[in-house]
Amino acid sequence: MVPLSVAWDDIGGLVDAHERFLAGSLVESDVRDSVLDSWKRCRSVGLEPHRLLVRYTGDVALDERFRHAADPVLADLTSSFADASMTIALCDGQGRMVERLGGDRQLRDRLDSVRFAPGFDASESVVGTNGVGTALAERGPVYIAGREHFADCLQPFACAGAPVRDPLSGRIEAVLDITCLRDQGDPAMVRMVREAARSIEARLLEQADLRERALLAAYRRADGHAGDRPGQPDGLRPDLDGGALGRIDMAVLRAKAEELIASPHRTLDEVTLPSGRTATLLRRQVTGAAGETGVAVEARVLGGPRLRHLDMAPAPGETGIPAAPAGERRLGSAVRRPAGSPVTHSAPAPQAPATTPVTTPDGEPVGAEGWLLLVGEPGVGRLAMLARRRLELLHDASVRIGTTLDVTRTAEELAEVTVPRFADFVAVDLPDSVLRGEEPEALGGRTALRRVAIRAVRKQPHNLYEVGDTVEYVPSTPQARSLETRQSVIEPVLTEADGWIAQDPERLTPVLEAGIHSLITVPLRARGTTLGVVSFYRSLQPDSYEDDDLSLAQELVGRAAICIDNARRYTREHNTALALQRSLLPRGRSEQSAVEVAYRYLPAQAGVGGDWFDVIPLSGARVALVVGDVVGHGLHAAATMGRLRTAVHNFCSLDLSPDDLLTHLDDLVVRLDRGEGWAAENSPDSGIVGATCLYAVYDPVSRRCTLTRAGHPLPAVVAPDGSVEFVDLPACPPLGLGGMPFETVELELAEGSRLVLYTDGLVEDRHRDIDAGLDDLRAVLAGADRSPEDTCEAVLDALLPARPGDDVALLVARTHSLGADRVAQWDLPSDPAVVSRSRAAVTAQLAEWGLEELTFTTELIASELVTNAIRHATGPVQLRLLRDRALICEVSDGSGTSPRLRRAQSTDEGGRGLFLVAQLTERWGTRYTPDGKVIWTEQPLPGRCR
């Protein structure tokens, strides 16, 4: 066996194709179609390559009938691998492993470590692309090697798998798999596992019922051949001068024989075999002893070597099918049909040639050697074959279409299911409104559609529209008629469909010359709404579309339309919730100089959540930093987040201390719970509100930061030297419990420190506990000279999972300080005489700052505020000027009473001073301190001084 998988990995570009696919890049040219389809299915169900949750089921077993057929084949296969490090796995029809045979200890241990062992589920939706699950999903043999596996843990292996069907029902009963290490793999493994699966099917065939046996016996007795026709020979051995027919040749012959049985008006068929030889099939009628009518198909091989067969002729009058000799395997297969449908039975080459020459209707000899190939019932053969294929296709469509709530992916799944089993080329066209989740407008012939998905048997370029192209059908086309009438349209002969060609003669005429000959168009309709149109083309399949094909296409599209409409509705709801949430989050950066900020918000993969953040300028050049998280997802969480964020803004306008602010916010959440409790029973999107919050206030003058939290993860502080510490905040309960006090911590931050606030989705998920997440965060944050933007990028790159299960909000603030040259402060005695001295001090300071234009108004403001403090307050008085983005004037005193703005009457002697202050300033207000209060005002700086 030649090890090819390593070279395949390197030359085929699979080394990085897997990573590029996960990143969302196109990899069609580097990955086989079957593997790429499997990767898409894996991604659509949410599998993560670096972690798997493999299910285990005890006592998985197959029925005795199947084990009786499979055990000898598995024993022979295991014996043939005695000198090779390969293991054989037998799984049930759901992909769960029943038995594992062979392989050396090293291989078995490595397979055990990845749970490729009896009882574990190997289906594609659980462990990704692999020989068992992908063979089951593709319903055919597959070979998977190295990087073609979706899961990282399976990439050291190469495997080949094939489904095993009950030949009398066509149902997949089991999956057979051969696995080895990647560097020992070979694509030829798929032939070996396919042959073993067929051998099991042949042994199942031996359990045929009496009707099938009677038809076979009737063939033996027909036309005097009872004595020299074979019963059920087991194999073809090569003669000295040539080779035997291979299994692939026999498979082609059996398939053509089934078609011949199903064609009541055909008696001959000529077949070119893959080996290069030519065979002729002859259809003959037979009648059983009990009146059973049927047909038999004989095969003649022309231009090939003579064949020597095993001597297994039955005794005269024998009606049963003899058992195979020890050590031999049957090559036959059979297909059981529903009641009233044809039964076909396979019988390979006989041990002696036919004694009666057979000729064509023109009298030409058919061949020199012939043998019985199939027997079956005539008449309804073709309809029964089509019915079975139709049922299989509809079953696959129900399983494979609609695995996600993504409109585009659902359209792709419809195309994947129908090519090549129903069509050779499929195109799905939808309006942009459906892709956005909106209600589609009434679609007509001139409506512009977007080509969302295509699937073709052949890879070569064609002239039909590509994915992403805008298509506007002219009224004469079948697609436009389908949209207009809401009815399906069939064009069995496209060369005569002038309306279709009129769409674009220059583009479509070469398409006809390339072989496309038949078309069905079906409108995508669900719940009374037309969502688009699907076009099915045939080119390689010789048969044109018929009325039965039209009904099948309508069923397929009808099922897909429901799934697409569900995905559209989900997209609309998701976009609505996301738009609501984004409208409630900050837009741009607030105007403040205390900190340099960068932030990121990423919604969860499952839906919109309630995480939020904010940067709120406060009086005195201070700034508030807020990060919060509302429990749950959806519109309710987003709306609650908006309420809480608005409340925080309102409480900040009152200049509340951090602990008082969280106390008020906690009380609000409690009242929200009481107010919404009545709706919880009637609405799945409402209920008890739960939220966490972290609130910090930073003062650039003192460089002190006050923090408090309500059930939120600890903030991190990165010092200018790159060291990282998590602030040890008291563990206060989340918002909504009520009655519990909140504690604050105050610390001094060096200029250039980075304060990092985040929600728990960044450091915690179901695969990682919060301690491990905090350790990872600490490692990423360590390092000096990193800007807030770079910090955000580094943190998300290192910690954000590929498919986040929760929202992530991240806020990074680098601190600045307001230097002493921009701060002026005077302590004033409680004496009216100091008012004039304060005006003089203000005038001198403004001159020093070059703000002479503000002298008059600032003197008046300072004079009024100092006078009020001396007249109405107690304790020492302090006057402070700050030059920041605005000129800030503050007067503090020891009183807890706040002045109130009012409109003085014409007879009042006072009460107009605060009114003048309000008119001369841009903003003014009061904030309370532990020792009293501060009255502050802000005036905009002249344009040249900003």
Side-chain angles (χ1 to χ4, degrees), residues 219 225 229 245 253 268-271 273 277-284 297-305 307 350 352-359 365-373:
Y219 173 77
H225 292 296
R229 286 293 181 188
L245 284 180
L253 284 176
L268 288 173
D269 194 6
E270 186 174 88
V271 182
L273 303 177
R277 286 170 281 189
T278 302
T280 301
L281 304 180
L282 174 64
R283 182 178 186 271
R284 305 169 61 242
V297 176
E298 298 178 7
R300 305 283 199 276
V301 178
L302 305 176
L307 302 175
T355 57
T356 303
V358 180
T359 62
V366 172
E369 292 190 351
W371 68 90
L372 168 64
L373 190 60

Side-chain angles (χ1 to χ4, degrees), residues 594 620-623 697-705 816 880:
R622 299 169 306 141
V623 65
V697 175
Y698 174 70
D699 186 344
V701 177
S702 64
R703 293 188 287 106
R704 301 200 64 82
C705 183
H816 299 301
R880 186 170 73 164

